[in-house]
Amino acid sequence: MRFDFHTTSMSPQVLGDAAAELEQGGFDSIWTAETNHDPFVGLALAAARTERVRLATGLAVAFARNPMSTAMIANDLQLVAKGRFTLGLGTQKRNHITRRFSMPWSAPAARMREYVLAVREIWHCFGTGERLRFRGEFYRHTVLNPFFDPGPNPYGPPPILLAGVGPRLIEVAGEVADGFLGHVLTTPEYLRNVVRPILADSRAEVGKTLDDFDIHLTPIVVTGTDEVSFGKAADAARASIAFYATVPGYQVALESCGLGDLHAELLRVAGAGRLEDLPAVIDDATLDILGIVGTPAEVARKFYDRFEGLASSVALFDNSGDDLAPQLELNAALRAEQARRPDKSAVNAK
């Protein structure tokens, strides 16, 4: 099992400054999300200040860029990181793609499948010097003059992981990607009963298995060193869960753990104009189902009890901002819990 660091809010400079400490603290990977900062810039700074830790986007919005743009920046990061980069991609939602990024949206699963194939074909042409002739339904890449070709990457292409919640995107991840990024609302029931079977079937369709396939999780965590910090973490977690649970596409994950009515209740409160009341809909019982609540040691134990054998890596979704101490403590607790389970230490996606 690999234990990773995940940030949704660190600025590139802060992440660059923190990278060496995170590496020394024993994290296996550093993940950045495309929220209020570009997901690639901070990783470039982190790459220059680390030697061992892997660097990954978790996630970068694929449809905010064309495949050539993504292929170029991922290739450069693989160079800068000396082979330690992982490209994690997701679709985002339609209104963000069309209204925030002003980019086209249609058939997200089919488009994502073609997107990944296009990126891989571009990398292939970088490495071989062959003519670029990718013609798909959504993307066409047919010009790559030597002036614009970076040539072979000595570290090879980076792995690609895809995010998804619905069955079609999960299926695409199994077919064309090297791994799967679970959403923060991915419950053990959904992972066991829906995600993994779909991944196994789609891998089998292309003659592969889950043995070489990465499943990465980012569950929401509520912990703290005292009542004040614990209360702040709980408030932040309720707000995050309420935000995600209002998205229609995540309803399937809620239904998997008996919370199918939560989405409708949140929409009822939001429809009444009471947006400030949305976090209060997430009561303690719901918080404990969709989040992992407790001291760092308790969080580590609960994580293993829920997800052991279902995933290959985890980055606990903590709301501590730029404060590294809670994440470092959680990382230590996870490793201590793993050491206490010697017969089951190989928690992986195999």
Side-chain angles (χ1 to χ4, degrees), residues 85-101:
F85 177 64
T86 294
L87 177 62
L89 296 172
T91 62
Q92 245 301 350
K93 295 302 173 183
R94 178 174 186 160
N95 66 317
H96 284 271
I97 300 303
T98 60
R99 297 172 57 194
R100 181 155 67 101
F101 294 109

Side-chain angles (χ1 to χ4, degrees), residues 104-120:
W105 172 275
S106 65
R111 183 180 286 269
M112 179 61 87
R113 179 184 182 278
E114 185 175 299
Y115 192 103
V116 172
L117 295 178
V119 169
R120 291 197 190 280

Side-chain angles (χ1 to χ4, degrees), residues 2 4-6 29-34 39 55-62 85-92 112 159-166 169-174 177-187 190-191 195 199 213-219 250 310-315 349:
R2 301 190 308 278
D4 303 337
F5 174 83
H6 176 91
S29 301
I30 296 173
W31 295 78
T32 56
E34 185 156 11
L55 307 165
T57 55
L59 51 80
V61 179
F85 177 64
T86 294
L87 177 62
L89 296 172
T91 62
Q92 245 301 350
M112 179 61 87
I160 297 176
L161 273 63
L162 292 184
V165 177
L169 279 169
I170 298 171
E171 182 179 317
V172 169
D178 303 299
F180 174 77
L181 300 176
H183 191 267
V184 295
L185 295 187
T186 299
T187 64
Y190 195 63
L191 189 57
V195 174
L199 289 174
F213 194 78
D214 194 7
I215 296 180
H216 178 75
L217 302 179
T218 314
Y250 303 152
L310 297 177
S312 49
S313 63
V314 59

Side-chain angles (χ1 to χ4, degrees), residues 70-80 85 123 126 150-151 153 156 158:
T70 298
M72 289 292 287
I73 195 168
N75 183 72
D76 282 349
L77 269 172
Q78 180 77 328
L79 279 170
V80 172
F85 177 64
W123 286 341
F126 287 172
N153 190 316

Side-chain angles (χ1 to χ4, degrees), residues 30-68:
I30 296 173
W31 295 78
T32 56
E34 185 156 11
T35 49
N36 50 12
H37 293 286
D38 179 273
F40 297 103
V41 177
L43 294 181
L45 295 177
R49 302 175 190 184
T50 55
E51 297 178 354
R52 174 194 58 80
V53 67
R54 289 198 61 82
L55 307 165
T57 55
L59 51 80
V61 179
F63 300 160
R65 306 166 176 83
N66 62 65
M68 178 62 76

Side-chain angles (χ1 to χ4, degrees), residues 77-347:
L77 269 172
Q78 180 77 328
L79 279 170
V80 172
K82 298 180 180 179
R84 293 180 288 133
F85 177 64
T86 294
L87 177 62
L89 296 172
T91 62
Q92 245 301 350
K93 295 302 173 183
R94 178 174 186 160
N95 66 317
H96 284 271
I97 300 303
T98 60
R99 297 172 57 194
R100 181 155 67 101
F101 294 109
S102 190
M103 294 289 280
W105 172 275
S106 65
R111 183 180 286 269
M112 179 61 87
R113 179 184 182 278
E114 185 175 299
Y115 192 103
V116 172
L117 295 178
V119 169
R120 291 197 190 280
E121 181 63 19
I122 292 166
W123 286 341
H124 173 77
C125 292
F126 287 172
T128 64
E130 295 177 8
R131 296 181 67 183
L132 180 59
R133 290 291 182 267
F134 185 89
R135 295 180 175 89
E137 178 182 358
F138 308 102
Y139 302 102
R140 291 171 61 88
H141 298 280
T142 58
V143 173
L144 184 63
N145 299 336
F147 186 75
F148 302 104
D149 185 348
N153 190 316
Y155 304 101
I160 297 176
L161 273 63
L162 292 184
V165 177
R168 280 292 295 118
L169 279 169
I170 298 171
E171 182 179 317
V172 169
E175 180 187 354
V176 301
D178 303 299
F180 174 77
L181 300 176
H183 191 267
V184 295
L185 295 187
T186 299
T187 64
E189 296 85 1
Y190 195 63
L191 189 57
R192 181 182 298 107
N193 299 326
V194 178
V195 174
R196 286 179 59 89
I198 293 174
L199 289 174
D201 288 345
S202 58
R203 298 289 286 169
E205 286 291 325
V206 293
K208 299 180 180 179
T209 70
L210 291 179
D211 288 346
D212 58 349
F213 194 78
D214 194 7
I215 296 180
H216 178 75
L217 302 179
T218 314
I220 292 175
V221 167
V222 177
T223 191
T225 56
D226 52 39
E227 287 189 14
V228 174
S229 61
F230 190 91
K232 289 182 178 179
D235 290 344
R238 293 182 204 276
S240 294
I241 292 172
F243 169 74
Y244 288 121
T246 59
V247 178
Y250 303 152
Q251 175 75 0
V252 289
L254 299 175
E255 291 173 349
S256 72
C257 57
L259 293 174
D261 295 334
L262 179 60
H263 175 73
E265 175 62 13
L266 289 167
L267 290 185
R268 185 187 66 79
V269 173
R274 296 159 42 211
L275 297 180
E276 70 281 0
D277 294 334
L278 287 175
V281 176
I282 312 302
D283 59 23
D284 288 347
T286 301
L287 184 63
D288 196 46
I289 293 172
L290 297 178
I292 306 180
V293 182
T295 65
E298 290 169 339
V299 166
R301 175 180 56 78
K302 287 183 178 181
F303 170 78
Y304 269 90
D305 288 345
R306 296 180 188 184
F307 294 105
E308 189 166 17
L310 297 177
S312 49
S313 63
V314 59
L316 298 180
F317 189 93
D318 179 63
N319 291 281
S320 302
D322 295 349
D323 185 5
L324 300 184
Q327 287 272 11
L328 289 166
E329 190 172 1
L330 284 169
N331 180 53
L334 282 167
R335 294 182 185 280
E337 183 65 25
Q338 184 182 63
R340 281 191 286 270
R341 304 187 183 212
D343 295 333
K344 299 179 181 180
S345 61
V347 181

